[in-house]
Amino acid sequence: MTFPKRVLSMAALLTALSSIASGYYHFVYFPSRGGPFNPIKLQFDLAQLTNNTVYYFISDQGPNVFVKGDSVTAVISELQLAAQAWNGVSSSQIKLAYGGLENSATQQSAPGIDVVFSDQIPAGILAQTKVTTYANVSFINNNTPFLPILRSTIQLQRNLTITVPQQASFYDSSFTTMVHEFGHSLGLQHTLTSATMSTYITRSTTKSMPLAADDVAGISLLYPTPGYLAGTGSISGQVILNGSGVSLASVVAISPTNGIAISNLTNPDGSYRIDAIPPGDYLLYVHPLPPAAQGEAGPDAIVLPMDPSQNSFPANTGFVTQFFPGTRDWTQADTLNVSAGSIVPYPVNRSEEHTSELQSRQYLVC
């Protein structure tokens, strides 16, 4: 099969800090389909929380089939430890606290998180989370700071033996899945840097090291402590295909010395900005989102960004991976030096790429 040749351009600019932080990828709305593309993110409103703390409640209708040696008590204990992983991020203001067991019929009105166990999760899915905000968001504009998360629901399997891998609470894979779902419940989507917020098959975190640099950046950009952003740098630019912006391309800054990777997805016009990058030298590369896996409705199980009318922006997956300034060989890539607040221009690069079909959005993120 012959693929048509197209030209992919990727510009990069080290930018100073501004009031809009857009590194990492969150649940996003855009005020219009024509730009400017200012991402409006979903997050808990700290002003509505006591001591910046969001409470999570675990259903009293717990799992009903266990791996040998496991129990409801052990599962609850691991969930509490998983939540604590996010509390250990010193650059994030938000904290999680256990609110106790709740009846499955209880209707909660305050912002918070419900952890439930379900027999209705699609085959092959370890867990999934739904994040809820206003049904009508037609009021958003470029001055809207964020949309509040009203409630998040984490769904885990009731039968802990039916997935591959099985979900014994004492397995690292189960623990990192719990940490992953708590991340979704706080407003984080998937990353492609092998962090906790990566999908299961690409995740490289463990119980002893539950979070990676991209996870820390993601949560800290939503709920930054005072002074956090001032100590980090940014890379911004645009990914262009035949003169048009490439939507939802994954752009990653990775350190060749210590492996730290911080990422973001491009806006509908191909523009991007990766914030919260620790100072140092980085390589920059762009790659397409992977196609949806079994049980996923969209590429990399990403909930696609939407406009105020709830219409989604599709992902462009029709190109191949390349490093800045236009090479597939990382040893030939330029090194970008990131320092807090620096502004350094870089030229455009080009490479050939191929087509791929677009993927659709999903509402539950796994």
Side-chain angles (χ1 to χ4, degrees):
M1 180 175 182
T2 300
F3 294 103
K5 294 181 178 180
R6 300 181 183 177
V7 176
L8 181 72
S9 300
M10 183 181 172
L13 175 71
L14 297 185
T15 67
L17 298 173
S18 76
S19 60
I20 301 172
S22 58
Y24 197 85
Y25 199 66
H26 306 90
F27 296 93
V28 170
Y29 282 81
F30 291 108
S32 73
R33 299 197 71 83
F37 291 104
N38 172 36
I40 309 300
K41 304 170 188 174
L42 271 60
Q43 63 188 81
F44 281 103
D45 185 354
L46 295 181
Q48 300 300 313
L49 304 176
T50 302
N51 297 323
N52 296 335
T53 300
V54 58
Y55 285 87
Y56 62 94
F57 300 85
I58 300 175
S59 172
D60 59 4
Q61 300 297 309
N64 56 6
V65 182
F66 298 91
V67 176
K68 184 178 180 180
D70 207 2
S71 67
V72 170
T73 300
V75 171
I76 292 174
S77 176
E78 289 300 298
L79 282 164
Q80 291 175 288
L81 288 174
Q84 285 295 325
W86 294 105
N87 290 349
V89 180
S90 61
S91 50
S92 167
Q93 293 191 72
I94 200 163
K95 303 301 176 186
L96 288 162
Y98 179 42
L101 296 177
E102 68 177 353
N103 186 288
S104 58
T106 301
Q107 295 293 318
Q108 299 278 8
S109 58
I113 301 167
D114 302 299
V115 181
V116 301
F117 302 88
S118 173
D119 294 317
Q120 306 304 313
I121 300 176
I125 300 298
L126 300 178
Q128 58 188 16
T129 296
K130 176 135 186 203
V131 178
T132 305
T133 189
Y134 300 129
N136 185 345
V137 298
S138 60
F139 62 88
I140 64 173
N141 56 49
N142 284 317
N143 295 317
T144 304
F146 63 88
L147 284 168
I149 296 176
L150 304 178
R151 201 80 188 174
S152 291
T153 302
I154 297 173
Q155 292 182 325
L156 304 173
Q157 296 279 2
R158 290 199 74 195
N159 183 337
L160 301 180
T161 69
I162 63 173
T163 57
V164 179
Q166 293 184 326
Q167 293 179 275
S169 65
F170 43 82
Y171 292 169
D172 266 25
S173 58
S174 297
F175 178 80
T176 57
T177 294
M178 293 175 182
V179 177
H180 178 96
E181 298 305 326
F182 272 117
H184 283 323
S185 73
L186 293 172
L188 304 184
Q189 287 224 62
H190 289 154
T191 180
L192 293 109
T193 59
S194 297
T196 276
M197 294 314 300
S198 299
T199 54
Y200 173 75
I201 58 174
T202 61
R203 195 180 305 151
S204 64
T205 51
T206 64
K207 190 170 183 178
S208 61
M209 297 183 65
L211 300 179
D214 214 13
D215 304 312
V216 172
I219 198 69
S220 302
L221 284 167
L222 280 183
Y223 312 103
T225 54
Y228 166 67
L229 290 175
T232 65
S234 304
I235 299 175
S236 71
Q238 189 174 26
V239 178
I240 297 175
L241 173 62
N242 289 344
S244 299
V246 179
S247 178
L248 293 177
S250 175
V251 186
V252 183
I254 185 168
S255 168
T257 56
N258 57 26
I260 285 177
I262 310 293
S263 68
N264 199 0
L265 300 184
T266 57
N267 297 325
D269 63 352
S271 62
Y272 66 88
R273 199 172 93 198
I274 309 173
D275 289 323
I277 304 175
D281 291 334
Y282 290 86
L283 303 178
L284 186 70
Y285 67 92
V286 60
H287 65 111
L289 293 179
Q294 180 183 1
E296 298 175 351
D300 197 44
I302 290 286
V303 175
L304 300 181
M306 291 188 290
D307 64 21
S309 298
Q310 312 283 354
N311 297 311
S312 62
F313 293 84
N316 185 336
T317 58
F319 61 97
V320 295
T321 301
Q322 71 172 41
F323 284 83
F324 179 81
T327 176
R328 301 203 67 197
D329 181 356
W330 72 269
T331 64
Q332 301 301 310
D334 283 358
T335 299
L336 311 182
N337 181 263
V338 176
S339 59
S342 64
I343 306 177
V344 182
Y346 286 89
V348 171
N349 70 311
R350 301 178 183 279
S351 77
E352 296 179 353
E353 51 74 54
H354 65 78
T355 59
S356 177
E357 66 182 59
L358 301 180
Q359 306 295 324
S360 59
R361 88 177 284 274
Q362 71 167 28
Y363 295 86
L364 286 175
V365 62
C366 303

